[in-house]
Amino acid sequence: MIASCLCFLLLPAARLLRALSDAFFTCRKSALLAKSSSPQVESDFAMSPRGPDQEEREGLLQQWQEETSSQVLSTVSEGPLVDKELAQSSLALLMDNAREQDAASEDKWSSRQLSDLRAAETLEEPFIEMLGEETLPEVEGPMWAAVPMQTGLQYANCAVLSMGALAAEHWEEDPAVVAWSIAPEPVPQEEAPNWSFEGLEQLQPPPVEIPYHEILWREWEDFSTQLDAQGLEAGDGPQFQFTLMSYNILAQDLMQQSSELYVHCHPDILNWNYRFANLMQEFQHWDPDILCLQEVQEDHYWEQLEPSLRMMGFTCFYKRRTGCKTDGCAVCYKPTRFHLLCASPVEYFRPGLELLNRDNVALVLLLQPLVPEGLGQVAVAPLCVANTHVLYNPRRGDVKLAQMAILLAEVDKVARLSDGSHCPIILCGDLNSVPDSPLYNFIRDGELQYHGMPAWKVSGQEDFSHQLYQRKLQAPLWPSSLGITDCCQYVTSCHPKTSERHEYSRDFLLRFRFCHIACQRPVGLVLMEGVTDIKPERPAGWAESVLEEDTSGPQPVCPRTTGTIRHCLHLTSVYTHFLPQLGRPEVTTMPLGLGTTVDYIFFSAASCENGNRTDRRLYQDGTLKLLGRLSLLSEEILWAANGLPNPFCSSDHLCLLASFGMEVTAP
């Protein structure tokens, strides 16, 4: 603030000083010219060597320049860093005003005086500095210069990282982002220069632009050489290997409805045509065998995505959200690797149920792997792939649990084999729940006690514990009319299959002629003589009660319990949700600039006990084996790339990619 005041006071003082100086030199020159008797004398005066008068004039000029420069430099050094640009702009304005005053004074001078003045300019360097562009005397330290400074993290094709080793690298100047800064001095390649001024912190050199693909570089983590439960390498026996990608590609309609979430992005990178080209480039680069997409806008799917993916060799299935929603889920697979056995779209909306009045959907496919002919007569178990996008609302964990129960019941029905076991399962998508939340633990551990739990706590997205009113989960969570048990199975799946056709003898059927209910008079029956006033007579020797249906048969496998839900699919996550090399959690999305994980790939691989600990990298026979995965990034790295979306990643989520192996057995 003090520096700002000094700058505004310095400007009129400099102008006054300039006017006095011009008047002084004009009077001196007029006095000298008056002493000469002819034009020849005047020219001789202009060309004469330096005398005492000339030295006096130079001394006064140098004194004024030193006083002015010392005042400007003291203002910059004493003021805070935020006032530095104001002082520099004031100095530039002072120079411009000086030029204007010079031009005005030139107009007032006579042609004879101008000729003498120009003659003096050719010989005297200080005078040309006085009348022309003013420069400060040389001082120790760096000079002020206009160099590009990054005012934010937005760039067209690159991002910024502080790298002193690349300080000397050539970079182009962006005319849209230019500010006053300290010009760096040439330094050796291995040193990072620092500049210090009195009252100012050390200033770092201008940041170097780094391409986005170097910042967002994701490594492939290979697990194919890890030992299984029997101590054998995962790749020892014949395997059917495939890759699967799960990706929330950000529907354009949803992005426009929530435009406040993307104010940090340049409008050009939010254009759908730009984003579509980037997405297709990602698909082609990773080339998965199975592709599970969320937030797929319907018109974009039929007009662009499906034709393009079909040209890439995919067969696609799409399920739009119910109601008036314009996006949905898609599952694509390569028919050269898999054969479709069945496809089951899932709608979570149930009319008349307040718990299930949302429009989210899912897709469940049963695929048969196609074994290469070179392996001979071998068999591979079917693969069940489920893709979903669960409700976002952080307050409605009860809805999320009910939606997940419906999906698990459908997966249980599709993946159940004739012997009652399940084929390998992959469940992926945007679950809108953070790691180690109750919903996450329910999918991974297979059991959850929910009675009395606050609804917001189910997903763990936000903390609403400070609110006075909190919705709490009550048992049973969903009504029996939904047809799903607390074991996340359809009611019909809990009973063993019996013959649909029964054979009864004639004598058995005749015993129902005079059953107990037939001998009772219905309530409200109109009494009519000879018609409804006669009570049927039971034959002698017939039992009072009728033989009822035998209820001693098998009971449901999973009867309803109180406040607890379960499933028996034995799922575990591909990712560990932590980056040990960085000591930071993994991130799949960055809403409002806060990194979190809500996207998952779960697969059926029951963990095996290994001493006193459980290692999720050890698998049982007959299950999927994780062979590799594409690493995720931390929040700090995504911040360096201006968050999501950015010019390199055209969605607000990162894609998930994993490689699996399935055992190949003899038929």
Side-chain angles (χ1 to χ4, degrees):
M1 189 63 185
I2 297 175
S4 302
C5 297
L6 290 177
C7 291
F8 285 109
L9 293 176
L10 178 63
L11 183 59
R15 291 178 177 175
L16 179 60
L17 183 60
R18 177 63 181 176
L20 294 176
S21 177
D22 292 340
F24 173 76
F25 290 131
T26 303
C27 294
R28 291 283 298 172
K29 183 171 181 60
S30 300
L32 292 175
L33 291 175
K35 295 180 180 180
S36 59
S37 58
S38 65
Q40 181 65 30
V41 176
E42 295 178 4
S43 60
D44 294 341
F45 169 79
M47 302 297 295
S48 62
R50 294 184 178 182
D53 296 333
Q54 180 69 16
E55 293 178 358
E56 180 181 357
R57 182 171 55 183
E58 292 181 2
L60 292 174
L61 175 61
Q62 184 176 0
Q63 180 181 359
W64 177 83
Q65 288 181 334
E66 290 177 355
E67 291 176 356
T68 305
S69 61
S70 62
Q71 292 176 2
V72 173
L73 291 178
S74 62
T75 303
V76 175
S77 62
E78 293 174 3
L81 185 60
V82 295
D83 294 328
K84 180 179 64 177
E85 294 184 1
L86 183 58
Q88 296 159 357
S89 61
S90 301
L91 180 60
L93 184 59
L94 177 61
M95 295 177 180
D96 295 336
N97 291 333
R99 297 190 190 98
E100 295 175 359
Q101 293 175 4
D102 290 341
S105 61
E106 259 191 351
D107 295 337
K108 296 179 182 179
W109 290 347
S110 63
S111 58
R112 187 174 184 180
Q113 292 174 336
L114 288 176
S115 62
D116 297 333
L117 183 61
R118 287 171 183 152
E121 288 177 357
T122 58
L123 296 178
E124 298 171 358
E125 293 297 332
F127 213 74
I128 191 173
E129 294 177 0
M130 182 76 178
L131 299 176
E133 182 178 354
E134 297 181 5
T135 57
L136 297 177
E138 295 185 0
V139 294
E140 296 184 358
M143 298 297 295
W144 292 101
V147 297
M149 291 292 293
Q150 311 300 344
T151 60
L153 290 175
Q154 303 180 24
Y155 300 93
N157 295 310
C158 54
V160 174
L161 284 180
S162 178
M163 298 186 63
L166 299 178
E169 183 178 339
H170 175 73
W171 46 272
E172 296 181 358
E173 175 179 319
D174 186 0
V177 187
V178 176
W180 284 98
S181 176
I182 300 297
E185 298 178 352
V187 295
Q189 183 77 7
E190 65 277 4
E191 296 181 4
N194 293 326
W195 299 274
S196 59
F197 293 91
E198 182 180 356
L200 298 179
E201 298 179 356
Q202 287 187 344
L203 301 179
Q204 297 298 329
V208 179
E209 300 177 351
I210 305 301
Y212 273 96
H213 70 274
E214 294 186 12
I215 298 178
L216 301 177
W217 181 260
R218 300 172 63 182
E219 296 182 352
W220 180 258
E221 301 175 359
D222 188 9
F223 302 136
S224 59
T225 58
Q226 285 192 331
L227 302 180
D228 61 8
Q230 282 72 34
L232 301 176
E233 290 190 0
D236 284 351
Q239 286 185 336
F240 177 82
Q241 299 184 7
F242 65 95
T243 56
L244 180 142
M245 174 184 284
S246 178
Y247 202 175
N248 184 327
I249 63 173
L250 180 58
Q252 193 74 9
D253 286 348
L254 297 180
M255 182 191 68
Q256 295 174 357
Q257 294 171 10
S258 305
S259 58
E260 67 278 0
L261 300 178
Y262 310 101
V263 294
H264 64 284
C265 303
H266 193 279
D268 291 343
I269 70 172
L270 298 180
N271 181 271
W272 166 247
N273 292 329
Y274 178 89
R275 295 177 54 232
F276 172 72
N278 262 11
L279 292 172
M280 295 306 301
Q281 187 176 4
E282 277 193 86
F283 299 155
Q284 293 177 353
H285 176 74
W286 298 117
D287 192 25
D289 299 310
I290 302 175
L291 185 60
C292 299
L293 304 177
Q294 304 91 41
E295 289 194 19
V296 182
Q297 192 165 308
E298 186 176 26
D299 57 341
H300 291 164
Y301 171 78
W302 293 113
E303 295 173 5
Q304 294 175 284
L305 281 169
E306 195 276 339
S308 300
L309 292 173
R310 189 177 351 109
M311 293 179 61
M312 293 173 58
F314 285 97
T315 299
C316 305
F317 286 84
Y318 178 75
K319 174 60 182 175
R320 183 180 65 86
R321 286 202 288 169
T322 54
C324 300
K325 304 298 187 295
T326 60
D327 65 291
C329 297
V331 177
C332 312
Y333 68 93
K334 290 185 177 180
T336 57
R337 304 297 314 278
F338 297 94
H339 170 67
L340 179 67
L341 297 180
C342 71
S344 178
V346 180
E347 296 181 357
Y348 297 140
F349 178 79
R350 295 291 190 275
L353 288 181
E354 189 273 338
L355 182 67
L356 294 168
N357 60 357
R358 306 307 172 97
D359 297 316
N360 304 86
V361 296
L363 264 176
V364 181
L365 269 63
L366 187 64
L367 303 174
Q368 178 62 51
L370 300 179
V371 182
E373 298 179 356
L375 296 180
Q377 297 295 327
V378 293
V380 183
L383 174 67
C384 179
V385 179
N387 179 30
T388 187
H389 190 183
V390 176
L391 176 70
Y392 167 76
N393 192 342
R395 303 173 184 268
R396 296 304 303 270
D398 52 342
V399 177
K400 298 183 182 186
L401 276 179
Q403 291 181 352
M404 187 54 57
I406 295 176
L407 177 60
L408 293 176
E410 188 69 25
V411 170
D412 175 83
K413 183 186 74 172
V414 173
R416 186 177 292 275
L417 302 177
S418 57
D419 59 355
S421 62
H422 296 91
C423 67
I425 299 169
I426 295 179
L427 190 155
C428 60
D430 184 351
L431 304 185
N432 278 315
S433 302
V434 301
D436 294 325
S437 63
L439 179 59
Y440 174 90
N441 292 334
F442 168 61
I443 298 174
R444 186 191 63 184
D445 302 335
E447 182 176 353
L448 176 65
Q449 295 181 357
Y450 64 87
H451 183 68
M453 179 183 297
W456 61 265
K457 196 174 182 180
V458 172
S459 63
Q461 294 168 278
E462 298 183 28
D463 186 359
F464 297 101
S465 59
H466 60 280
Q467 295 187 352
L468 183 61
Y469 171 76
Q470 300 182 24
R471 183 192 301 266
K472 294 188 177 181
L473 307 185
Q474 302 295 329
L477 185 59
W478 55 82
S480 300
S481 59
L482 188 59
I484 296 177
T485 68
D486 287 336
C487 289
C488 299
Q489 294 178 331
Y490 289 118
V491 174
T492 54
S493 301
C494 297
H495 297 275
K497 292 184 178 180
T498 57
S499 176
E500 297 180 358
R501 185 174 181 179
H502 301 274
E503 296 182 359
Y504 302 100
S505 63
R506 182 175 182 275
D507 294 338
F508 177 79
L509 296 178
L510 286 177
R511 301 188 68 172
F512 290 94
R513 178 183 178 185
F514 298 103
C515 61
H516 179 68
I517 192 66
C519 297
Q520 294 180 357
R521 183 182 180 83
V523 179
L525 181 64
V526 179
L527 181 61
M528 299 176 62
E529 186 177 354
V531 180
T532 61
D533 60 345
I534 300 176
K535 183 179 181 180
E537 296 181 359
R538 184 179 295 106
W542 281 40
E544 182 73 16
S545 61
V546 182
L547 294 177
E548 302 292 343
E549 183 180 359
D550 185 13
T551 58
S552 61
Q555 297 295 323
V557 178
C558 298
R560 299 207 71 173
T561 57
T562 304
T564 303
I565 54 177
R566 300 182 178 88
H567 73 83
C568 54
L569 301 181
H570 305 293
L571 301 175
T572 190
S573 176
V574 166
Y575 291 90
T576 59
H577 318 303
F578 188 77
L579 299 171
Q581 66 274 19
L582 299 178
R584 301 288 184 178
E586 295 175 336
V587 168
T588 64
T589 184
M590 287 190 67
L592 298 175
L594 301 177
T596 185
T597 294
V598 296
D599 305 277
Y600 302 94
I601 298 178
F602 290 97
F603 66 104
S604 55
S607 58
C608 302
E609 293 295 333
N610 183 14
N612 296 327
R613 67 182 183 91
T614 301
D615 189 350
R616 295 180 189 171
R617 292 289 170 262
L618 301 180
Y619 310 105
Q620 293 180 349
D621 292 338
T623 59
L624 286 173
K625 293 178 173 60
L626 179 62
L627 303 181
R629 68 188 179 197
L630 184 64
S631 65
L632 291 173
L633 303 175
S634 66
E635 182 180 8
E636 290 75 12
I637 294 178
L638 290 179
W639 264 115
N642 198 30
L644 295 172
N646 54 55
F648 187 73
C649 180
S650 289
S651 174
D652 58 348
H653 292 248
L654 294 177
C655 68
L656 277 61
L657 182 68
S659 175
F660 298 95
M662 298 177 63
E663 293 183 354
V664 177
T665 59

